[in-house]
Amino acid sequence: MEPAQLQQIHQVLRKEADKTLVGLEEPFELLTIALLTGGHVLLEGVPGTAKTLMAKTLAHLVEAEFKRIQFTPDLMPSDILGTSVFDISSGQFHLKKGPIFTQILLADEINRAPAKTQSALLEAMEERQINLEGTHYQLERPFMVIATQNPLEYEGTYPLPEAQLDRFLFKVVVPYADLNSEIEVLRRTHQGFDAHDIASTGLTAKLPTNAFSTVLDAIQSVKVEDGILNYIARVASASRQSPDLTLGASTRATTHVLRSAKTYAAIQGRDYVTPDDVKVVTPPVYRHRVILKPEAEIEGLTPDLVIKRLLGQVEVPR
Protein backbone atom coordinates (compact mmCIF):
# COMPACT_ATOMS: atom_id res chain seq x y z
CA MET A 1 0.00 0.00 0.00
CA GLU A 2 1.30 3.44 -0.98
CA PRO A 3 1.01 6.51 1.31
CA ALA A 4 -1.35 8.06 -1.24
CA GLN A 5 -3.73 5.13 -0.74
CA LEU A 6 -3.48 5.48 3.04
CA GLN A 7 -4.24 9.19 2.71
CA GLN A 8 -7.39 8.31 0.78
CA ILE A 9 -8.42 5.78 3.43
CA HIS A 10 -7.87 8.36 6.17
CA GLN A 11 -10.00 10.92 4.34
CA VAL A 12 -12.80 8.36 3.96
CA LEU A 13 -12.60 7.52 7.67
CA ARG A 14 -12.88 11.19 8.65
CA LYS A 15 -15.79 11.75 6.28
CA GLU A 16 -17.63 8.69 7.57
CA ALA A 17 -17.01 9.71 11.20
CA ASP A 18 -18.85 12.96 10.49
CA LYS A 19 -22.08 10.94 10.54
CA THR A 20 -21.77 10.63 14.33
CA LEU A 21 -19.23 13.25 15.43
CA VAL A 22 -19.52 17.03 15.21
CA GLY A 23 -16.60 19.43 15.70
CA LEU A 24 -14.19 16.71 16.85
CA GLU A 25 -12.00 16.45 13.77
CA GLU A 26 -8.67 16.95 15.56
CA PRO A 27 -9.30 14.57 18.53
CA PHE A 28 -10.64 11.90 16.17
CA GLU A 29 -7.64 12.27 13.86
CA LEU A 30 -5.31 11.74 16.82
CA LEU A 31 -7.30 8.64 17.82
CA THR A 32 -6.91 7.31 14.28
CA ILE A 33 -3.17 8.04 14.25
CA ALA A 34 -2.78 6.25 17.59
CA LEU A 35 -4.62 3.16 16.31
CA LEU A 36 -2.51 2.99 13.14
CA THR A 37 0.67 3.58 15.18
CA GLY A 38 -0.24 0.84 17.65
CA GLY A 39 -0.51 3.15 20.68
CA HIS A 40 -2.95 3.98 23.45
CA VAL A 41 -4.74 7.24 24.15
CA LEU A 42 -5.73 9.13 27.29
CA LEU A 43 -8.80 11.27 26.58
CA GLU A 44 -9.28 14.16 28.99
CA GLY A 45 -12.49 16.15 29.00
CA VAL A 46 -15.51 16.99 31.10
CA PRO A 47 -18.50 14.61 30.96
CA GLY A 48 -20.72 14.92 27.93
CA THR A 49 -18.10 15.83 25.31
CA ALA A 50 -18.57 12.64 23.20
CA LYS A 51 -15.44 10.78 24.38
CA THR A 52 -17.24 7.42 24.47
CA LEU A 53 -18.92 8.13 21.14
CA MET A 54 -15.54 8.79 19.52
CA ALA A 55 -14.19 5.45 20.75
CA LYS A 56 -17.29 3.55 19.58
CA THR A 57 -17.19 5.29 16.20
CA LEU A 58 -13.53 4.38 15.65
CA ALA A 59 -14.17 0.74 16.57
CA HIS A 60 -17.14 0.60 14.20
CA LEU A 61 -15.16 2.10 11.30
CA VAL A 62 -12.41 -0.52 11.53
CA GLU A 63 -14.67 -3.48 12.47
CA ALA A 64 -12.79 -3.91 15.75
CA GLU A 65 -14.24 -5.69 18.77
CA PHE A 66 -15.13 -3.05 21.36
CA LYS A 67 -15.60 -3.35 25.12
CA ARG A 68 -16.06 -0.78 27.86
CA ILE A 69 -15.10 -0.90 31.55
CA GLN A 70 -16.45 1.61 34.03
CA PHE A 71 -13.61 2.13 36.51
CA THR A 72 -14.77 2.45 40.14
CA PRO A 73 -12.95 2.42 43.52
CA ASP A 74 -14.00 -1.21 44.15
CA LEU A 75 -12.91 -2.53 40.73
CA MET A 76 -10.48 -5.45 41.09
CA PRO A 77 -7.73 -6.56 38.66
CA SER A 78 -9.64 -9.79 38.03
CA ASP A 79 -12.60 -7.71 36.84
CA ILE A 80 -10.35 -6.53 33.99
CA LEU A 81 -8.13 -9.52 33.26
CA GLY A 82 -10.42 -12.43 34.11
CA THR A 83 -10.04 -15.37 36.46
CA SER A 84 -9.65 -19.14 36.52
CA VAL A 85 -12.88 -21.05 37.10
CA PHE A 86 -13.12 -24.72 38.07
CA ASP A 87 -15.26 -26.82 35.72
CA ILE A 88 -16.84 -29.68 37.67
CA SER A 89 -17.68 -31.70 34.56
CA SER A 90 -14.09 -31.77 33.25
CA GLY A 91 -12.35 -31.48 36.61
CA GLN A 92 -10.10 -28.72 35.26
CA PHE A 93 -9.68 -24.99 35.61
CA HIS A 94 -10.39 -22.82 32.59
CA LEU A 95 -9.96 -19.10 31.99
CA LYS A 96 -13.01 -16.91 32.17
CA LYS A 97 -11.72 -14.03 30.08
CA GLY A 98 -12.15 -10.47 31.27
CA PRO A 99 -13.05 -7.49 29.07
CA ILE A 100 -9.38 -6.81 28.32
CA PHE A 101 -9.59 -9.58 25.72
CA THR A 102 -10.77 -7.28 22.97
CA GLN A 103 -9.31 -5.01 20.29
CA ILE A 104 -10.41 -1.55 21.44
CA LEU A 105 -10.95 -1.19 25.19
CA LEU A 106 -12.57 1.92 26.65
CA ALA A 107 -11.36 2.41 30.24
CA ASP A 108 -13.94 4.96 31.38
CA GLU A 109 -12.85 7.28 34.23
CA ILE A 110 -9.65 5.31 34.68
CA ASN A 111 -8.48 7.49 37.58
CA ARG A 112 -11.39 6.33 39.77
CA ALA A 113 -9.77 2.92 40.34
CA PRO A 114 -6.92 2.39 42.83
CA ALA A 115 -3.33 1.90 41.70
CA LYS A 116 -3.48 -1.91 42.05
CA THR A 117 -6.28 -2.07 39.50
CA GLN A 118 -4.73 0.51 37.19
CA SER A 119 -1.50 -1.50 37.18
CA ALA A 120 -3.40 -4.49 35.79
CA LEU A 121 -3.35 -2.63 32.48
CA LEU A 122 0.41 -2.00 32.42
CA GLU A 123 1.61 -5.31 31.00
CA ALA A 124 -1.28 -5.47 28.56
CA MET A 125 -0.59 -1.96 27.26
CA GLU A 126 3.16 -2.49 26.85
CA GLU A 127 3.53 -6.17 25.99
CA ARG A 128 0.13 -6.92 24.41
CA GLN A 129 -0.16 -9.87 26.77
CA ILE A 130 -1.30 -10.67 30.28
CA ASN A 131 -0.02 -13.10 32.89
CA LEU A 132 -2.60 -14.99 34.93
CA GLU A 133 -1.39 -17.52 37.50
CA GLY A 134 1.83 -18.16 35.60
CA THR A 135 0.22 -18.52 32.17
CA HIS A 136 0.78 -15.94 29.43
CA TYR A 137 -2.09 -14.99 27.16
CA GLN A 138 -1.48 -13.00 23.99
CA LEU A 139 -3.96 -10.24 23.16
CA GLU A 140 -5.39 -9.90 19.69
CA ARG A 141 -3.96 -7.24 17.41
CA PRO A 142 -4.74 -4.47 17.01
CA PHE A 143 -5.10 -3.84 20.73
CA MET A 144 -5.75 -0.30 21.90
CA VAL A 145 -6.70 1.18 25.26
CA ILE A 146 -8.67 4.43 25.18
CA ALA A 147 -8.84 5.76 28.74
CA THR A 148 -10.92 8.74 29.82
CA GLN A 149 -10.65 11.04 32.79
CA ASN A 150 -12.36 14.20 34.04
CA PRO A 151 -9.89 17.12 34.44
CA LEU A 152 -12.01 18.94 37.03
CA GLU A 153 -13.24 16.33 39.50
CA TYR A 154 -10.56 15.10 41.92
CA GLU A 155 -12.59 13.80 44.87
CA GLY A 156 -12.53 10.02 44.95
CA THR A 157 -9.87 9.74 42.25
CA TYR A 158 -6.40 8.19 42.17
CA PRO A 159 -3.79 10.01 40.04
CA LEU A 160 -2.26 7.83 37.36
CA PRO A 161 1.36 6.91 38.17
CA GLU A 162 4.04 8.24 35.81
CA ALA A 163 4.88 4.68 34.70
CA GLN A 164 1.36 4.20 33.41
CA LEU A 165 1.06 7.66 31.89
CA ASP A 166 4.26 6.98 29.93
CA ARG A 167 2.57 4.02 28.22
CA PHE A 168 -0.03 6.23 26.56
CA LEU A 169 1.01 7.38 23.10
CA PHE A 170 -1.15 10.52 23.25
CA LYS A 171 -3.04 12.60 25.74
CA VAL A 172 -5.89 14.17 23.81
CA VAL A 173 -7.82 17.06 25.31
CA VAL A 174 -11.48 17.04 24.26
CA PRO A 175 -12.87 20.58 24.49
CA TYR A 176 -16.43 21.85 24.70
CA ALA A 177 -18.13 22.12 21.31
CA ASP A 178 -18.06 25.56 19.71
CA LEU A 179 -21.35 27.36 19.07
CA ASN A 180 -21.89 26.14 15.50
CA SER A 181 -21.03 22.55 16.42
CA GLU A 182 -23.38 22.60 19.39
CA ILE A 183 -26.21 23.90 17.21
CA GLU A 184 -25.55 21.05 14.77
CA VAL A 185 -25.61 18.53 17.64
CA LEU A 186 -28.98 19.91 18.74
CA ARG A 187 -30.28 19.73 15.16
CA ARG A 188 -29.26 16.09 14.83
CA THR A 189 -30.75 15.22 18.20
CA HIS A 190 -34.01 16.88 17.17
CA GLN A 191 -33.99 14.78 13.98
CA GLY A 192 -33.67 11.57 16.00
CA PHE A 193 -29.92 10.90 16.32
CA ASP A 194 -29.23 8.36 19.08
CA ALA A 195 -25.64 8.13 20.35
CA HIS A 196 -26.42 4.69 21.78
CA ASP A 197 -27.39 3.32 18.36
CA ILE A 198 -24.71 4.55 15.98
CA ALA A 199 -25.49 1.76 13.51
CA SER A 200 -28.75 3.56 12.71
CA THR A 201 -26.74 6.49 11.30
CA GLY A 202 -25.54 4.35 8.41
CA LEU A 203 -21.97 4.26 9.70
CA THR A 204 -20.07 1.61 7.75
CA ALA A 205 -16.64 0.05 8.20
CA LYS A 206 -13.96 1.54 5.93
CA LEU A 207 -10.76 -0.16 7.17
CA PRO A 208 -11.24 -3.75 8.37
CA THR A 209 -8.70 -4.87 10.96
CA ASN A 210 -7.56 -7.67 8.66
CA ALA A 211 -6.11 -4.97 6.37
CA PHE A 212 -3.92 -3.52 9.12
CA SER A 213 -0.81 -5.46 8.14
CA THR A 214 -0.58 -3.69 4.78
CA VAL A 215 -1.24 -0.33 6.46
CA LEU A 216 1.55 -0.95 8.97
CA ASP A 217 3.93 -1.88 6.15
CA ALA A 218 3.17 1.43 4.42
CA ILE A 219 3.83 3.38 7.62
CA GLN A 220 7.03 1.48 8.34
CA SER A 221 8.36 2.31 4.87
CA VAL A 222 8.12 6.08 5.50
CA LYS A 223 11.63 7.55 5.31
CA VAL A 224 13.17 9.58 8.14
CA GLU A 225 16.35 11.59 7.57
CA ASP A 226 19.04 11.75 10.24
CA GLY A 227 18.32 15.46 10.67
CA ILE A 228 14.75 14.62 11.76
CA LEU A 229 15.99 12.01 14.24
CA ASN A 230 18.42 14.58 15.62
CA TYR A 231 15.61 17.15 15.88
CA ILE A 232 13.36 14.76 17.85
CA ALA A 233 16.21 13.94 20.23
CA ARG A 234 17.18 17.58 20.76
CA VAL A 235 13.60 18.57 21.62
CA ALA A 236 13.53 15.80 24.23
CA SER A 237 16.88 16.91 25.60
CA ALA A 238 15.65 20.50 25.82
CA SER A 239 12.63 19.35 27.85
CA ARG A 240 14.91 17.68 30.40
CA GLN A 241 16.93 20.88 30.78
CA SER A 242 13.96 23.26 30.82
CA PRO A 243 13.83 25.55 33.88
CA ASP A 244 10.03 25.20 33.81
CA LEU A 245 9.93 21.41 34.15
CA THR A 246 10.63 18.99 36.96
CA LEU A 247 10.33 16.02 34.62
CA GLY A 248 11.09 16.08 30.91
CA ALA A 249 10.26 13.65 28.12
CA SER A 250 11.37 10.03 28.42
CA THR A 251 13.19 7.99 25.79
CA ARG A 252 9.91 6.17 25.18
CA ALA A 253 8.42 9.58 24.38
CA THR A 254 10.99 10.16 21.62
CA THR A 255 10.18 6.78 20.03
CA HIS A 256 6.48 7.64 20.24
CA VAL A 257 7.12 10.96 18.50
CA LEU A 258 9.01 9.17 15.73
CA ARG A 259 6.38 6.48 15.19
CA SER A 260 3.42 8.84 15.26
CA ALA A 261 5.22 11.34 12.97
CA LYS A 262 5.67 8.54 10.42
CA THR A 263 1.98 7.69 10.67
CA TYR A 264 0.99 11.34 10.32
CA ALA A 265 3.23 11.73 7.25
CA ALA A 266 1.72 8.60 5.68
CA ILE A 267 -1.89 9.73 6.12
CA GLN A 268 -0.87 13.03 4.48
CA GLY A 269 0.15 11.00 1.44
CA ARG A 270 3.92 11.37 1.91
CA ASP A 271 6.62 8.74 2.23
CA TYR A 272 8.94 10.99 4.26
CA VAL A 273 8.74 12.87 7.58
CA THR A 274 9.12 16.65 7.81
CA PRO A 275 9.84 18.84 10.87
CA ASP A 276 6.23 20.03 10.72
CA ASP A 277 5.05 16.43 11.23
CA VAL A 278 7.16 16.31 14.40
CA LYS A 279 5.66 19.60 15.59
CA VAL A 280 2.12 18.29 15.10
CA VAL A 281 2.54 15.11 17.15
CA THR A 282 4.91 16.33 19.87
CA PRO A 283 2.31 18.16 22.05
CA PRO A 284 -0.07 15.17 22.47
CA VAL A 285 2.93 12.87 23.05
CA TYR A 286 4.53 15.15 25.67
CA ARG A 287 1.68 16.82 27.56
CA HIS A 288 0.99 13.92 29.96
CA ARG A 289 4.66 13.11 30.49
CA VAL A 290 6.21 16.44 31.44
CA ILE A 291 5.69 17.82 34.96
CA LEU A 292 5.70 21.56 35.59
CA LYS A 293 7.62 23.12 38.45
CA PRO A 294 5.36 24.80 41.05
CA GLU A 295 6.72 28.24 40.22
CA ALA A 296 5.89 27.67 36.52
CA GLU A 297 2.31 26.80 37.44
CA ILE A 298 2.08 29.96 39.56
CA GLU A 299 3.18 31.95 36.52
CA GLY A 300 0.23 30.46 34.63
CA LEU A 301 2.22 28.17 32.37
CA THR A 302 0.68 24.94 31.07
CA PRO A 303 2.39 21.86 29.60
CA ASP A 304 1.23 22.88 26.11
CA LEU A 305 2.72 26.35 26.47
CA VAL A 306 6.05 24.93 27.64
CA ILE A 307 6.08 22.37 24.80
CA LYS A 308 5.37 25.13 22.27
CA ARG A 309 8.25 27.12 23.74
CA LEU A 310 10.59 24.11 23.48
CA LEU A 311 9.68 23.55 19.83
CA GLY A 312 10.41 27.21 19.17
CA GLN A 313 13.80 27.07 20.88
CA VAL A 314 15.23 24.06 19.03
CA GLU A 315 16.60 24.79 15.56
CA VAL A 316 14.58 23.13 12.81
CA PRO A 317 16.60 21.01 10.37
CA ARG A 318 16.56 22.04 6.72
Side-chain angles (χ1 to χ4, degrees):
M1 180 181 291
E2 297 295 323
Q5 294 174 283
L6 186 53
Q7 180 187 28
Q8 186 176 14
I9 290 173
H10 173 249
Q11 290 172 345
V12 171
L13 286 174
R14 289 190 62 168
K15 184 177 180 180
E16 192 70 13
D18 288 342
K19 292 180 179 178
T20 60
L21 304 175
V22 180
L24 294 169
E25 291 81 8
E26 183 179 344
F28 184 76
E29 180 174 71
L30 290 173
L31 274 186
T32 305
I33 292 172
L35 178 66
L36 298 179
T37 305
H40 312 287
V41 175
L42 179 63
L43 289 179
E44 185 174 275
V46 298
T49 48
K51 298 186 295 296
T52 299
L53 182 59
M54 271 200 299
K56 291 168 65 177
T57 297
L58 180 64
H60 199 96
L61 288 175
V62 299
E63 290 186 326
E65 184 182 5
F66 175 82
K67 291 181 181 176
R68 174 182 176 273
I69 306 175
Q70 180 64 51
F71 276 59
T72 57
D74 60 349
L75 191 73
M76 299 295 292
S78 59
D79 296 326
I80 300 174
L81 305 179
T83 186
S84 294
V85 178
F86 184 72
D87 186 350
I88 297 177
S89 60
S90 64
Q92 295 180 336
F93 285 92
H94 70 272
L95 175 65
K96 182 181 179 182
K97 292 183 177 180
I100 201 167
F101 287 90
T102 189
Q103 291 177 306
I104 294 182
L105 176 69
L106 179 64
D108 209 1
E109 295 188 292
I110 188 173
N111 56 337
R112 290 204 170 276
K116 182 178 180 180
T117 303
Q118 292 176 11
S119 65
L121 288 173
L122 287 178
E123 182 181 13
M125 291 172 66
E126 184 67 18
E127 306 293 338
R128 268 47 174 198
Q129 68 175 21
I130 64 170
N131 184 7
L132 280 176
E133 299 177 5
T135 303
H136 290 282
Y137 299 92
Q138 292 293 325
L139 296 173
E140 191 174 352
R141 291 177 181 267
F143 172 71
M144 179 185 189
V145 174
I146 302 175
T148 72
Q149 66 178 15
N150 183 343
L152 301 178
E153 194 171 354
Y154 295 105
E155 186 173 351
T157 63
Y158 302 83
L160 298 180
E162 280 71 25
Q164 186 168 341
L165 285 171
D166 201 43
R167 281 165 170 77
F168 286 100
L169 176 69
F170 292 151
K171 178 181 177 181
V172 179
V173 178
V174 184
Y176 280 120
D178 59 37
L179 180 60
N180 291 333
S181 296
E182 193 141 20
I183 291 172
E184 178 61 22
V185 169
L186 292 173
R187 183 178 292 113
R188 293 187 183 191
T189 302
H190 173 62
Q191 293 170 351
F193 173 75
D194 184 1
H196 303 293
D197 184 20
I198 61 175
S200 65
T201 64
L203 197 67
T204 56
K206 297 298 180 182
L207 180 63
T209 52
N210 57 17
F212 267 54
S213 58
T214 56
V215 171
L216 296 178
D217 288 342
I219 293 171
Q220 183 59 35
S221 66
V222 172
K223 296 184 285 292
V224 186
E225 298 290 340
D226 287 344
I228 298 293
L229 298 178
N230 186 269
Y231 180 54
I232 294 172
R234 284 190 291 117
V235 172
S237 178
S239 74
R240 297 162 195 158
Q241 299 169 16
S242 171
D244 300 317
L245 298 176
T246 300
L247 181 68
S250 66
T251 300
R252 183 186 281 120
T254 62
T255 63
H256 282 182
V257 168
L258 172 63
R259 291 167 53 206
S260 52
K262 291 176 68 173
T263 302
Y264 182 75
I267 65 174
Q268 301 304 311
R270 286 184 278 101
D271 63 352
Y272 58 91
V273 173
T274 69
D276 284 340
D277 298 331
V278 175
K279 289 183 176 182
V280 168
V281 301
T282 296
V285 170
Y286 274 29
R287 66 167 59 107
H288 56 296
R289 291 179 163 95
V290 299
I291 297 178
L292 294 177
K293 290 183 177 179
E295 51 269 33
E297 292 186 273
I298 293 172
E299 291 176 13
L301 292 178
T302 64
D304 279 15
L305 287 173
V306 174
I307 295 165
K308 183 178 180 180
R309 182 182 295 176
L310 292 173
L311 290 169
Q313 290 173 346
V314 178
E315 184 181 357
V316 177
R318 298 186 181 278

